[in-house]
Amino acid sequence: MAASDRLGPRALEAQAVLGQVENRPGVPKPDPILVADDVVRRFGGLAAVDVEHVEVQRGSITALIGPNGAGKTTVFNLLTGFDTPDSGDWTFNGRKLAGVAPYKVARLGMVRTFQLTKALSRLTVLDNMRLGATSQRGEKIWASWLPFLWRSQEEEITTRARGLLDRFSMLPKEADFAGSLSGGQRKLLEMARALMVGPELIMLDEPMAGVNPALTQSLLQHIKGIREEGATVLFVEHDMDMVHDISDWVIVMAQGRIIAEGPPGVVMKDPSVIDAYLGAHHTKALTDSGESLTTSPGGEQ
Amino acid sequence: MDLGFVFGQSITQAIGVTAIIYCLAAMGVNMQFGYTGLLNFGQVAFVAVGAYSVGVIVVTLGLTLWLAIPISIFASVVLALVLGIPTLRLRADYLAIVTIAASEIVRQLVRSIALRDVLGGANGINGKMGQEFHDLNPFPADFELPFLTYTRQDLWVVIVGWALIAVLTLLIWLLVRSPWGRVIKGIREDENAVVSLGKNTYVYKMQALILGGLLGTLGGVIWAVAKQSVQPDNFVPDVTFFAYTIVLLGGAARVFGPIIGAIIFWFLLVFVGEFLNQAIQAGWLDFLEPTDIGPIRFILVGIGLMSLMIFRPQGIFGDKKELALDGR
């Protein structure tokens, strides 16, 4: 693979370890950072998510893929506490997370981004970044009146924020309102802001959605860089080229279940994955299927 | 037509007792709505709590004002907790619904017949309130300048009131530019994003609600002390909406917004009222009766405020660039 000469030591290590792992749904991994068991979320009668068992290998870049409505974002919401499952248990670093408030999940080191970017529009780019830092003394209401208590920490945070912005080539924008950024820049900002929390596991929900191709390459490099610095990355993505390029392991969901797991090259050739994406009848012409327009109720004559 | 009198009245009222009360209520709304994005439509309930705490403690129970003030603060915090605990975990609109209902509940409660012995029913509570405060008045006589006239008593309230506002504005300024202020502004923009960064937003929203409520309550305390009378029908939802108008007029999330907003709002309201009054007396507007002035001045001021929102939607201190960014 041409890309392999760009791989860092942690990438090679993760790929070597995962190369030993069987390619089947729910397979155990040697050193999982995240383990989920029997996580079920129903919306009415529909089981939007029904995951029997899944593990995410520490130090890996794992992609979570699947057709629209497969339940990928719901899994993110459930695991990070933004939504509550009907049943199920999951652990992060061995710590049970069921019922833990989302802000506590983030503090434990499991930080997510959102599919619809949540840049804090009327805050400057730099303030967006600073907000990500945890354990800030100045965030206590009484301490805000005593700046000498937090000024030095604020300077450290600002230095760290500028460092990250520089890495993401956003430093010239630091004084701009986040709302004035382009879609791609917002994605970058959101990722950089999540890094301010100091995550062990960063969960990116469609980091490439709406990003122009010119930015895509640099975003990919940033995600690889995050892993080389020691974090684990779990991301949802539709862009198969991207998944192929950066992920060590791919988990495929369809209709709420995990239907396949494995390295990207293997998974994408899996017939059940191709079926899930394109439908079992994708070789037939559309007019042959039972869902043609003319048979729908109230259809045109 | 005595334009001098019209101006004098307008200026006197624009920096007078009522403007101070509304300024404090608006500072609270600015904290809650402007900075944190909380839609508290029941700010008048916090004002009523302040005024009635003084009325009950001082007149009904015959105790000192210095006891009434801490009790009013305590009651205000309790009210904020009662409103906030069930609603702040829910979506923003629920707080709006609950608070506007709560403010009417408070008003109906204080005017109820069952509690007339304590709260005075529909007549409210009238009598000497805050004598201790007025005893400290260093001014020997009423105050009269060509455009500015206050009774000795009002002058003392006005000076203490604006001094209090100055101190509170400084405290709020420190608060909103601290990391704490950054968190609440973040919550206003997108609460889930702030949660995803490890902040317990519920606590911050509660703090902002309590703080904003306290500012309204201080306005209520000044109301009772200055006017020596609290009546249930003073505390209609209009007060809340005037406070919002003042905030938007001055510019939301601007430290000086409520101050300038309150001054301009009362100047306009009094100016239009007095001007119409003079014009009717001078026989210029024969088709109007003096009783029409009340509604008409609100219509005219309303038109003025609408034009402001059209031509300067960010308010006086606001930044148009900032407003153009979609908050969500």
Side-chain angles (χ1 to χ4, degrees):
Chain A
M1 192 159 62
S4 63
D5 55 356
R6 292 204 311 265
L7 291 179
R10 289 183 59 88
L12 292 170
E13 189 193 328
Q15 291 186 357
V17 171
L18 288 167
Q20 310 296 315
V21 175
E22 215 181 321
N23 301 332
R24 63 172 170 85
V27 67
K29 315 256 169 18
D31 180 16
I33 188 169
L34 181 69
V35 181
D37 280 299
D38 299 313
V39 175
V40 179
R41 176 72 169 104
R42 286 179 213 288
F43 295 119
L46 177 82
V49 167
D50 183 358
V51 170
E52 261 178 48
H53 185 82
V54 70
E55 297 184 1
V56 174
Q57 169 71 13
R58 188 185 310 275
S60 69
I61 300 183
T62 301
L64 181 59
I65 65 168
N68 289 324
K72 306 177 297 285
T73 296
T74 311
V75 166
F76 265 36
N77 288 341
L78 294 172
L79 296 180
T80 51
F82 280 85
D83 192 4
T84 314
D86 296 287
S87 65
D89 263 317
W90 63 102
T91 61
F92 172 70
N93 271 335
R95 203 197 135 121
K96 270 190 187 285
L97 282 190
V100 175
Y103 75 90
K104 286 185 183 154
V105 173
R107 284 184 195 173
L108 287 170
M110 184 164 145
V111 181
R112 68 167 302 176
T113 65
F114 294 88
Q115 187 176 353
L116 298 170
T117 329
K118 293 183 184 292
L120 305 169
S121 300
R122 285 175 291 173
L123 259 57
T124 63
V125 167
L126 189 59
D127 271 344
N128 264 270
M129 293 294 290
R130 285 173 175 151
L131 193 60
T134 50
S135 312
Q136 296 190 42
R137 292 191 287 270
E139 287 181 355
K140 300 250 180 311
I141 191 167
W142 52 267
S144 62
W145 288 307
L146 309 167
F148 59 88
L149 285 180
W150 45 265
R151 190 151 285 155
S152 62
Q153 191 191 23
E154 181 82 352
E155 278 162 16
E156 282 166 35
I157 290 169
T158 307
T159 310
R160 198 153 66 83
R162 290 214 168 102
L164 274 168
L165 284 176
D166 193 26
R167 196 172 120 191
F168 284 74
S169 316
M170 299 265 290
L171 202 50
K173 297 263 178 200
E174 68 165 41
D176 293 8
F177 284 124
S180 70
L181 299 179
S182 73
Q185 289 169 330
R186 287 180 199 213
K187 286 277 179 200
L188 281 175
L189 173 62
E190 199 178 5
M191 200 186 295
R193 192 176 65 194
L195 290 178
M196 283 297 289
V197 186
E200 272 187 73
L201 172 62
I202 183 163
M203 301 172 63
L204 307 169
D205 198 347
E206 298 203 19
M208 295 298 159
V211 177
N212 76 56
L215 255 176
T216 310
Q217 272 310 315
S218 76
L219 243 164
L220 289 180
Q221 291 309 317
H222 291 314
I223 295 175
K224 289 179 185 169
I226 292 169
R227 184 257 294 279
E228 290 306 325
E229 281 168 21
T232 306
V233 180
L234 175 65
F235 70 100
V236 167
E237 191 49 67
H238 279 298
D239 181 341
M240 285 305 148
D241 289 336
M242 177 201 166
V243 171
H244 211 283
D245 188 17
I246 68 163
S247 56
D248 317 314
W249 194 257
V250 178
I251 300 170
V252 188
M253 286 186 75
Q255 293 171 346
R257 294 169 173 278
I258 291 173
I259 58 162
E261 274 195 56
V266 177
V267 159
M268 284 172 195
K269 295 195 186 83
D270 187 328
S272 64
V273 174
I274 296 168
D275 282 354
Y277 260 93
L278 301 173
H281 309 292
H282 65 277
T283 47
K284 290 184 191 168
L286 190 63
T287 44
D288 293 343
S289 76
E291 292 177 338
S292 63
L293 279 173
T294 47
T295 58
S296 62
E300 288 169 348
Q301 292 177 338
Chain B
M1 177 114 190
D2 186 353
L3 264 182
F5 176 78
V6 173
F7 265 108
Q9 276 297 304
S10 310
I11 291 169
T12 303
Q13 294 289 319
I15 55 173
V17 173
T18 316
I20 288 172
I21 294 164
Y22 277 88
C23 179
L24 282 163
M27 284 163 75
V29 168
N30 198 30
M31 172 55 68
Q32 294 162 342
F33 169 71
Y35 288 106
T36 323
L38 298 176
L39 277 173
N40 170 16
F41 279 147
Q43 183 67 341
V44 65
F46 290 95
V47 182
V49 161
Y52 268 90
S53 296
V54 174
V56 170
I57 304 281
V58 175
V59 177
T60 312
L61 300 177
L63 299 170
T64 163
L65 175 71
W66 309 129
L67 180 68
I69 292 173
I71 285 180
S72 73
I73 289 171
F74 174 76
S76 175
V77 173
V78 170
L79 178 64
L81 290 173
V82 166
L83 295 180
I85 286 171
T87 54
L88 286 182
R89 285 191 200 280
L90 304 172
R91 248 180 27 225
D93 3 8
Y94 291 97
L95 183 71
I97 297 165
V98 167
T99 47
I100 195 166
S103 76
E104 280 295 271
I105 292 172
V106 166
R107 185 169 71 90
Q108 296 298 338
L109 197 72
V110 296
R111 83 198 302 279
S112 69
I113 292 171
L115 297 172
R116 194 166 50 193
D117 294 343
V118 184
L119 299 170
N123 291 327
I125 303 173
N126 304 286
K128 280 261 174 237
M129 294 178 202
Q131 193 54 46
E132 299 89 335
F133 172 79
H134 291 296
D135 285 345
L136 295 174
N137 190 344
F139 300 104
D142 292 353
F143 184 76
E144 274 183 62
L145 283 180
F147 283 122
L148 212 54
T149 48
Y150 290 115
T151 63
R152 175 177 171 268
Q153 185 177 314
D154 277 355
L155 179 65
W156 179 224
V157 175
V158 165
I159 285 178
V160 173
W162 285 113
L164 181 71
I165 287 172
V167 172
L168 291 172
T169 300
L170 177 69
L171 289 177
I172 291 172
W173 179 72
L174 286 170
L175 203 53
V176 297
R177 61 197 292 280
S178 76
W180 184 87
R182 191 158 65 213
V183 177
I184 60 162
K185 283 183 255 180
I187 292 172
R188 173 190 71 197
E189 299 302 310
D190 193 317
E191 189 179 349
N192 277 340
V194 180
V195 170
S196 78
L197 299 172
K199 319 288 179 200
N200 187 357
T201 53
Y202 182 66
V203 167
Y204 288 94
K205 289 198 291 183
M206 188 62 89
Q207 287 170 341
L209 184 66
I210 290 173
L211 209 60
L214 279 177
L215 289 163
T217 298
L218 286 177
V221 169
I222 291 181
W223 186 312
V225 170
K227 303 194 175 182
Q228 309 274 302
S229 152
V230 289
Q231 275 147 19
D233 293 332
N234 293 140
F235 303 103
V236 287
D238 301 26
V239 178
T240 305
F241 296 122
F242 287 174
Y244 270 85
T245 308
I246 287 167
V247 169
L248 295 177
L249 187 59
R254 300 286 145 178
V255 178
F256 291 107
I259 298 175
I260 299 302
I263 290 173
I264 293 179
F265 183 74
W266 283 103
F267 182 89
L268 285 177
L269 212 55
V270 176
F271 184 85
V272 172
E274 291 294 339
F275 185 87
L276 284 175
N277 194 13
Q278 294 272 331
I280 289 169
Q281 279 179 23
W284 295 354
L285 302 166
D286 283 337
F287 54 95
L288 290 179
E289 298 290 321
T291 49
D292 297 332
I293 293 171
I296 287 177
R297 70 174 182 160
F298 277 114
I299 292 170
L300 292 178
V301 171
I303 291 171
L305 292 171
M306 276 197 274
S307 331
L308 181 97
M309 288 295 110
I310 292 165
F311 296 110
R312 198 175 166 79
Q314 70 272 37
I316 295 183
F317 286 119
D319 178 350
K320 195 159 192 175
K321 220 170 65 201
E322 192 177 323
L323 193 84
L325 302 170
D326 190 27
R328 262 127 270 283

PDB file of all heavy atoms in Angstrom, chain A residues 144-166:
ATOM      1  N   SER A 144     -14.652  34.021  39.669  1.00  0.00           N
ATOM      2  CA  SER A 144     -14.584  34.947  38.555  1.00  0.00           C
ATOM      3  C   SER A 144     -14.286  36.371  39.029  1.00  0.00           C
ATOM      4  O   SER A 144     -13.768  37.174  38.279  1.00  0.00           O
ATOM      5  CB  SER A 144     -15.894  34.909  37.783  1.00  0.00           C
ATOM      6  OG  SER A 144     -16.939  35.319  38.621  1.00  0.00           O
ATOM      7  N   TRP A 145     -14.610  36.639  40.290  1.00  0.00           N
ATOM      8  CA  TRP A 145     -14.332  37.978  40.824  1.00  0.00           C
ATOM      9  C   TRP A 145     -12.903  38.104  41.350  1.00  0.00           C
ATOM     10  O   TRP A 145     -12.504  39.157  41.811  1.00  0.00           O
ATOM     11  CB  TRP A 145     -15.338  38.323  41.930  1.00  0.00           C
ATOM     12  CG  TRP A 145     -16.691  38.588  41.374  1.00  0.00           C
ATOM     13  CD1 TRP A 145     -16.989  39.466  40.379  1.00  0.00           C
ATOM     14  CD2 TRP A 145     -17.920  37.989  41.742  1.00  0.00           C
ATOM     15  NE1 TRP A 145     -18.337  39.427  40.101  1.00  0.00           N
ATOM     16  CE2 TRP A 145     -18.930  38.536  40.939  1.00  0.00           C
ATOM     17  CE3 TRP A 145     -18.277  37.041  42.696  1.00  0.00           C
ATOM     18  CZ2 TRP A 145     -20.262  38.168  41.038  1.00  0.00           C
ATOM     19  CZ3 TRP A 145     -19.601  36.678  42.791  1.00  0.00           C
ATOM     20  CH2 TRP A 145     -20.588  37.236  41.973  1.00  0.00           C
ATOM     21  N   LEU A 146     -12.184  37.010  41.358  1.00  0.00           N
ATOM     22  CA  LEU A 146     -10.827  37.021  41.890  1.00  0.00           C
ATOM     23  C   LEU A 146      -9.864  36.542  40.802  1.00  0.00           C
ATOM     24  O   LEU A 146      -9.347  35.437  40.854  1.00  0.00           O
ATOM     25  CB  LEU A 146     -10.741  36.091  43.117  1.00  0.00           C
ATOM     26  CG  LEU A 146     -11.801  36.317  44.197  1.00  0.00           C
ATOM     27  CD1 LEU A 146     -11.828  35.165  45.185  1.00  0.00           C
ATOM     28  CD2 LEU A 146     -11.544  37.629  44.925  1.00  0.00           C
ATOM     29  N   PRO A 147      -9.637  37.400  39.792  1.00  0.00           N
ATOM     30  CA  PRO A 147      -8.867  36.963  38.620  1.00  0.00           C
ATOM     31  C   PRO A 147      -7.482  36.429  38.970  1.00  0.00           C
ATOM     32  O   PRO A 147      -6.950  35.597  38.250  1.00  0.00           O
ATOM     33  CB  PRO A 147      -8.762  38.219  37.763  1.00  0.00           C
ATOM     34  CG  PRO A 147      -9.811  39.127  38.260  1.00  0.00           C
ATOM     35  CD  PRO A 147     -10.047  38.795  39.687  1.00  0.00           C
ATOM     36  N   PHE A 148      -6.891  36.888  40.069  1.00  0.00           N
ATOM     37  CA  PHE A 148      -5.551  36.408  40.390  1.00  0.00           C
ATOM     38  C   PHE A 148      -5.535  34.904  40.659  1.00  0.00           C
ATOM     39  O   PHE A 148      -4.498  34.264  40.568  1.00  0.00           O
ATOM     40  CB  PHE A 148      -4.980  37.179  41.599  1.00  0.00           C
ATOM     41  CG  PHE A 148      -5.807  37.065  42.841  1.00  0.00           C
ATOM     42  CD1 PHE A 148      -5.593  36.018  43.730  1.00  0.00           C
ATOM     43  CD2 PHE A 148      -6.809  37.996  43.127  1.00  0.00           C
ATOM     44  CE1 PHE A 148      -6.370  35.898  44.869  1.00  0.00           C
ATOM     45  CE2 PHE A 148      -7.581  37.878  44.257  1.00  0.00           C
ATOM     46  CZ  PHE A 148      -7.368  36.827  45.125  1.00  0.00           C
ATOM     47  N   LEU A 149      -6.708  34.337  40.962  1.00  0.00           N
ATOM     48  CA  LEU A 149      -6.774  32.893  41.197  1.00  0.00           C
ATOM     49  C   LEU A 149      -6.621  32.087  39.917  1.00  0.00           C
ATOM     50  O   LEU A 149      -6.184  30.950  39.940  1.00  0.00           O
ATOM     51  CB  LEU A 149      -8.115  32.522  41.843  1.00  0.00           C
ATOM     52  CG  LEU A 149      -8.301  32.847  43.304  1.00  0.00           C
ATOM     53  CD1 LEU A 149      -9.687  32.418  43.754  1.00  0.00           C
ATOM     54  CD2 LEU A 149      -7.248  32.132  44.146  1.00  0.00           C
ATOM     55  N   TRP A 150      -7.055  32.660  38.800  1.00  0.00           N
ATOM     56  CA  TRP A 150      -7.093  31.851  37.580  1.00  0.00           C
ATOM     57  C   TRP A 150      -6.297  32.421  36.416  1.00  0.00           C
ATOM     58  O   TRP A 150      -6.198  31.804  35.369  1.00  0.00           O
ATOM     59  CB  TRP A 150      -8.530  31.592  37.137  1.00  0.00           C
ATOM     60  CG  TRP A 150      -9.455  32.768  37.151  1.00  0.00           C
ATOM     61  CD1 TRP A 150     -10.297  33.118  38.172  1.00  0.00           C
ATOM     62  CD2 TRP A 150      -9.653  33.751  36.132  1.00  0.00           C
ATOM     63  NE1 TRP A 150     -10.996  34.255  37.837  1.00  0.00           N
ATOM     64  CE2 TRP A 150     -10.627  34.662  36.593  1.00  0.00           C
ATOM     65  CE3 TRP A 150      -9.102  33.940  34.871  1.00  0.00           C
ATOM     66  CZ2 TRP A 150     -11.058  35.755  35.849  1.00  0.00           C
ATOM     67  CZ3 TRP A 150      -9.530  35.029  34.120  1.00  0.00           C
ATOM     68  CH2 TRP A 150     -10.501  35.928  34.610  1.00  0.00           C
ATOM     69  N   ARG A 151      -5.729  33.607  36.591  1.00  0.00           N
ATOM     70  CA  ARG A 151      -5.078  34.243  35.438  1.00  0.00           C
ATOM     71  C   ARG A 151      -3.937  33.393  34.874  1.00  0.00           C
ATOM     72  O   ARG A 151      -3.809  33.245  33.665  1.00  0.00           O
ATOM     73  CB  ARG A 151      -4.585  35.634  35.822  1.00  0.00           C
ATOM     74  CG  ARG A 151      -4.133  36.417  34.617  1.00  0.00           C
ATOM     75  CD  ARG A 151      -4.316  37.897  34.791  1.00  0.00           C
ATOM     76  NE  ARG A 151      -5.709  38.307  34.671  1.00  0.00           N
ATOM     77  CZ  ARG A 151      -6.200  39.405  35.240  1.00  0.00           C
ATOM     78  NH1 ARG A 151      -5.435  40.164  35.997  1.00  0.00           N
ATOM     79  NH2 ARG A 151      -7.465  39.730  35.078  1.00  0.00           N
ATOM     80  N   SER A 152      -3.130  32.811  35.760  1.00  0.00           N
ATOM     81  CA  SER A 152      -1.982  32.046  35.266  1.00  0.00           C
ATOM     82  C   SER A 152      -2.468  30.806  34.514  1.00  0.00           C
ATOM     83  O   SER A 152      -1.935  30.460  33.455  1.00  0.00           O
ATOM     84  CB  SER A 152      -1.073  31.645  36.423  1.00  0.00           C
ATOM     85  OG  SER A 152      -1.772  30.804  37.317  1.00  0.00           O
ATOM     86  N   GLN A 153      -3.514  30.167  35.047  1.00  0.00           N
ATOM     87  CA  GLN A 153      -4.054  28.991  34.366  1.00  0.00           C
ATOM     88  C   GLN A 153      -4.626  29.387  33.001  1.00  0.00           C
ATOM     89  O   GLN A 153      -4.461  28.676  32.016  1.00  0.00           O
ATOM     90  CB  GLN A 153      -5.145  28.349  35.227  1.00  0.00           C
ATOM     91  CG  GLN A 153      -5.557  26.989  34.721  1.00  0.00           C
ATOM     92  CD  GLN A 153      -6.811  26.469  35.407  1.00  0.00           C
ATOM     93  OE1 GLN A 153      -7.619  27.229  35.932  1.00  0.00           O
ATOM     94  NE2 GLN A 153      -6.955  25.153  35.413  1.00  0.00           N
ATOM     95  N   GLU A 154      -5.282  30.547  32.978  1.00  0.00           N
ATOM     96  CA  GLU A 154      -5.871  31.037  31.724  1.00  0.00           C
ATOM     97  C   GLU A 154      -4.773  31.240  30.674  1.00  0.00           C
ATOM     98  O   GLU A 154      -4.971  30.944  29.499  1.00  0.00           O
ATOM     99  CB  GLU A 154      -6.600  32.357  32.019  1.00  0.00           C
ATOM    100  CG  GLU A 154      -7.276  32.982  30.823  1.00  0.00           C
ATOM    101  CD  GLU A 154      -8.648  32.395  30.520  1.00  0.00           C
ATOM    102  OE1 GLU A 154      -9.021  31.395  31.160  1.00  0.00           O
ATOM    103  OE2 GLU A 154      -9.325  32.938  29.642  1.00  0.00           O
ATOM    104  N   GLU A 155      -3.614  31.729  31.110  1.00  0.00           N
ATOM    105  CA  GLU A 155      -2.521  31.927  30.159  1.00  0.00           C
ATOM    106  C   GLU A 155      -2.012  30.595  29.625  1.00  0.00           C
ATOM    107  O   GLU A 155      -1.741  30.459  28.431  1.00  0.00           O
ATOM    108  CB  GLU A 155      -1.386  32.730  30.810  1.00  0.00           C
ATOM    109  CG  GLU A 155      -1.678  34.224  30.787  1.00  0.00           C
ATOM    110  CD  GLU A 155      -0.834  35.011  31.762  1.00  0.00           C
ATOM    111  OE1 GLU A 155       0.182  34.473  32.240  1.00  0.00           O
ATOM    112  OE2 GLU A 155      -1.212  36.168  32.060  1.00  0.00           O
ATOM    113  N   GLU A 156      -1.910  29.608  30.508  1.00  0.00           N
ATOM    114  CA  GLU A 156      -1.495  28.266  30.053  1.00  0.00           C
ATOM    115  C   GLU A 156      -2.475  27.729  29.020  1.00  0.00           C
ATOM    116  O   GLU A 156      -2.078  27.202  27.978  1.00  0.00           O
ATOM    117  CB  GLU A 156      -1.493  27.278  31.227  1.00  0.00           C
ATOM    118  CG  GLU A 156      -0.311  27.362  32.162  1.00  0.00           C
ATOM    119  CD  GLU A 156      -0.614  26.583  33.438  1.00  0.00           C
ATOM    120  OE1 GLU A 156      -1.298  25.539  33.350  1.00  0.00           O
ATOM    121  OE2 GLU A 156      -0.190  27.032  34.518  1.00  0.00           O
ATOM    122  N   ILE A 157      -3.774  27.885  29.339  1.00  0.00           N
ATOM    123  CA  ILE A 157      -4.806  27.380  28.440  1.00  0.00           C
ATOM    124  C   ILE A 157      -4.720  28.071  27.092  1.00  0.00           C
ATOM    125  O   ILE A 157      -4.810  27.443  26.040  1.00  0.00           O
ATOM    126  CB  ILE A 157      -6.200  27.579  29.082  1.00  0.00           C
ATOM    127  CG1 ILE A 157      -6.364  26.633  30.262  1.00  0.00           C
ATOM    128  CG2 ILE A 157      -7.307  27.375  28.060  1.00  0.00           C
ATOM    129  CD1 ILE A 157      -7.568  26.934  31.120  1.00  0.00           C
ATOM    130  N   THR A 158      -4.509  29.386  27.136  1.00  0.00           N
ATOM    131  CA  THR A 158      -4.436  30.155  25.895  1.00  0.00           C
ATOM    132  C   THR A 158      -3.248  29.697  25.056  1.00  0.00           C
ATOM    133  O   THR A 158      -3.358  29.538  23.834  1.00  0.00           O
ATOM    134  CB  THR A 158      -4.336  31.654  26.210  1.00  0.00           C
ATOM    135  OG1 THR A 158      -5.404  31.991  27.085  1.00  0.00           O
ATOM    136  CG2 THR A 158      -4.418  32.493  24.959  1.00  0.00           C
ATOM    137  N   THR A 159      -2.132  29.458  25.711  1.00  0.00           N
ATOM    138  CA  THR A 159      -0.947  28.988  24.983  1.00  0.00           C
ATOM    139  C   THR A 159      -1.231  27.641  24.317  1.00  0.00           C
ATOM    140  O   THR A 159      -0.916  27.430  23.142  1.00  0.00           O
ATOM    141  CB  THR A 159       0.239  28.826  25.949  1.00  0.00           C
ATOM    142  OG1 THR A 159       0.355  30.030  26.709  1.00  0.00           O
ATOM    143  CG2 THR A 159       1.528  28.561  25.211  1.00  0.00           C
ATOM    144  N   ARG A 160      -1.870  26.751  25.078  1.00  0.00           N
ATOM    145  CA  ARG A 160      -2.182  25.431  24.538  1.00  0.00           C
ATOM    146  C   ARG A 160      -3.179  25.554  23.373  1.00  0.00           C
ATOM    147  O   ARG A 160      -3.029  24.894  22.347  1.00  0.00           O
ATOM    148  CB  ARG A 160      -2.780  24.558  25.655  1.00  0.00           C
ATOM    149  CG  ARG A 160      -2.761  23.080  25.370  1.00  0.00           C
ATOM    150  CD  ARG A 160      -2.716  22.284  26.657  1.00  0.00           C
ATOM    151  NE  ARG A 160      -3.927  22.419  27.462  1.00  0.00           N
ATOM    152  CZ  ARG A 160      -5.033  21.701  27.256  1.00  0.00           C
ATOM    153  NH1 ARG A 160      -5.068  20.822  26.283  1.00  0.00           N
ATOM    154  NH2 ARG A 160      -6.095  21.866  28.019  1.00  0.00           N
ATOM    155  N   ALA A 161      -4.176  26.429  23.560  1.00  0.00           N
ATOM    156  CA  ALA A 161      -5.184  26.630  22.515  1.00  0.00           C
ATOM    157  C   ALA A 161      -4.527  27.163  21.241  1.00  0.00           C
ATOM    158  O   ALA A 161      -4.818  26.699  20.136  1.00  0.00           O
ATOM    159  CB  ALA A 161      -6.257  27.593  22.994  1.00  0.00           C
ATOM    160  N   ARG A 162      -3.617  28.116  21.395  1.00  0.00           N
ATOM    161  CA  ARG A 162      -2.947  28.676  20.214  1.00  0.00           C
ATOM    162  C   ARG A 162      -2.098  27.618  19.532  1.00  0.00           C
ATOM    163  O   ARG A 162      -2.033  27.568  18.305  1.00  0.00           O
ATOM    164  CB  ARG A 162      -2.067  29.869  20.626  1.00  0.00           C
ATOM    165  CG  ARG A 162      -2.877  31.067  21.046  1.00  0.00           C
ATOM    166  CD  ARG A 162      -2.169  32.371  20.642  1.00  0.00           C
ATOM    167  NE  ARG A 162      -3.079  33.486  20.798  1.00  0.00           N
ATOM    168  CZ  ARG A 162      -3.033  34.342  21.830  1.00  0.00           C
ATOM    169  NH1 ARG A 162      -2.115  34.186  22.770  1.00  0.00           N
ATOM    170  NH2 ARG A 162      -3.902  35.322  21.912  1.00  0.00           N
ATOM    171  N   GLY A 163      -1.467  26.764  20.327  1.00  0.00           N
ATOM    172  CA  GLY A 163      -0.662  25.680  19.763  1.00  0.00           C
ATOM    173  C   GLY A 163      -1.505  24.782  18.875  1.00  0.00           C
ATOM    174  O   GLY A 163      -1.125  24.463  17.740  1.00  0.00           O
ATOM    175  N   LEU A 164      -2.685  24.411  19.398  1.00  0.00           N
ATOM    176  CA  LEU A 164      -3.573  23.538  18.624  1.00  0.00           C
ATOM    177  C   LEU A 164      -4.097  24.250  17.380  1.00  0.00           C
ATOM    178  O   LEU A 164      -4.163  23.666  16.302  1.00  0.00           O
ATOM    179  CB  LEU A 164      -4.741  23.072  19.489  1.00  0.00           C
ATOM    180  CG  LEU A 164      -4.480  21.831  20.339  1.00  0.00           C
ATOM    181  CD1 LEU A 164      -5.584  21.637  21.355  1.00  0.00           C
ATOM    182  CD2 LEU A 164      -4.371  20.603  19.453  1.00  0.00           C
ATOM    183  N   LEU A 165      -4.470  25.519  17.552  1.00  0.00           N
ATOM    184  CA  LEU A 165      -4.974  26.278  16.400  1.00  0.00           C
ATOM    185  C   LEU A 165      -3.909  26.354  15.323  1.00  0.00           C
ATOM    186  O   LEU A 165      -4.189  26.246  14.129  1.00  0.00           O
ATOM    187  CB  LEU A 165      -5.389  27.685  16.837  1.00  0.00           C
ATOM    188  CG  LEU A 165      -6.714  27.800  17.581  1.00  0.00           C
ATOM    189  CD1 LEU A 165      -6.944  29.234  18.032  1.00  0.00           C
ATOM    190  CD2 LEU A 165      -7.869  27.346  16.698  1.00  0.00           C
ATOM    191  N   ASP A 166      -2.669  26.535  15.751  1.00  0.00           N
ATOM    192  CA  ASP A 166      -1.570  26.633  14.802  1.00  0.00           C
ATOM    193  C   ASP A 166      -1.449  25.322  14.036  1.00  0.00           C
ATOM    194  O   ASP A 166      -1.305  25.315  12.807  1.00  0.00           O
ATOM    195  CB  ASP A 166      -0.284  26.933  15.569  1.00  0.00           C
ATOM    196  CG  ASP A 166       0.832  27.355  14.630  1.00  0.00           C
ATOM    197  OD1 ASP A 166       0.511  27.883  13.549  1.00  0.00           O
ATOM    198  OD2 ASP A 166       2.004  27.147  14.974  1.00  0.00           O
TER     199      ASP A 166
END
